[in-house]
Amino acid sequence: MGAPDEAHHPLLDHFVDAAAGRFPPVDGGFTRHPPLAGGLEAVVSFTGHAVFATRLDELSLVDLGANGFGSSLQPRVLTAMAGPDGLVGMIDVTLVGRGQGGGDLPMRADLHDHPRVAHARSLRNRVQVFGDERGLVTLGLGLAGRLEMSVEATLTGAGRGLIAEALRLAPEGEAVFAAVSPGNARSLRAFLSCHFTPVGSEVIIRP
């Protein structure tokens, strides 16, 4: 089962703006929006400003110590958003690149049960899977309805080529987002070498 279909959520506007180099004010504050489709919540941190999609009201966030200078990712904030039975996801670097069009990596209907594909479908809608002997690429609509990609290389050193293939599969000029764990330095270097730009960080929460 994929993520719930996302009508236009105001968090998407923040991603679109960030992809174009437009960021919230560096004021130490935060912006609160309602939860995402299906009740998912999220914290997206930009430089000096945080954006919440949550059921918690602004006063509750202030009482928890949330601000735009890093405190919005403190455990007490994230666990309050999750509640006693919820799940706090990984804190990832938010990266954005631009689609180039013209890709010809073949679609792979036979990879439906692959763990990477199952993970993509748990977070995204309309997931498409492509691949060859180097590994696989997924493209789908993820957080707030943005276009997201992921890759998994089966050959050593193939990651950068697969990232480049993913950008060619996306429409020319369209913003393509990827979320990478900061500790996965090899993957982070690969995305940076393919002209992805870090715009912030994010964590998805399932209350």
Side-chain angles (χ1 to χ4, degrees):
M1 182 178 69
D5 280 326
E6 188 75 66
H8 185 86
H9 190 280
L11 182 57
L12 180 60
D13 295 329
H14 292 278
F15 289 129
V16 171
D17 284 346
R22 301 185 298 268
F23 295 95
V26 183
D27 58 4
F30 65 81
T31 301
R32 179 203 168 272
H33 297 299
L36 297 150
L40 291 178
E41 304 197 2
V43 184
V44 180
S45 293
F46 299 105
T47 300
H49 197 94
V51 180
F52 287 88
T54 179
R55 71 195 185 286
L56 300 182
D57 59 31
E58 290 190 13
L59 182 58
S60 297
L61 293 171
V62 170
D63 288 343
L64 288 165
N67 64 42
F69 292 138
S71 294
S72 296
L73 295 175
Q74 289 194 20
R76 66 173 177 268
V77 177
L78 303 182
T79 54
M81 292 174 65
D85 301 314
L87 177 66
V88 177
M90 301 291 291
I91 298 174
D92 288 328
V93 178
T94 308
L95 302 162
V96 63
R98 289 288 176 184
Q100 298 174 4
D104 57 4
L105 195 66
M107 294 192 73
R108 294 290 300 273
D110 58 310
L111 295 175
H112 179 81
D113 295 325
H114 190 283
R116 170 65 67 178
V117 177
H119 178 70
R121 289 202 164 105
S122 74
L123 296 171
R124 303 172 189 126
N125 292 300
R126 306 180 197 174
V127 173
Q128 294 180 299
V129 186
F130 306 84
D132 57 20
E133 70 282 355
R134 296 171 295 174
L136 65 87
V137 165
T138 71
L139 285 174
L141 300 182
L143 187 57
R146 70 187 184 183
L147 181 61
E148 296 179 358
M149 61 156 291
S150 66
V151 302
E152 181 157 321
T154 54
L155 296 179
T156 302
R160 296 182 187 189
L162 288 170
I163 294 169
E165 292 279 9
L167 290 177
R168 285 191 286 270
L169 291 166
E172 184 175 0
E174 184 165 348
V176 183
F177 291 85
V180 179
S181 171
N184 191 352
R186 180 182 296 175
S187 179
L188 192 55
R189 289 195 301 269
F191 276 93
L192 293 175
S193 73
C194 292
H195 307 293
F196 273 76
T197 301
V199 294
S201 66
E202 62 188 63
V203 56
I204 298 174
I205 297 167
R206 298 177 184 272

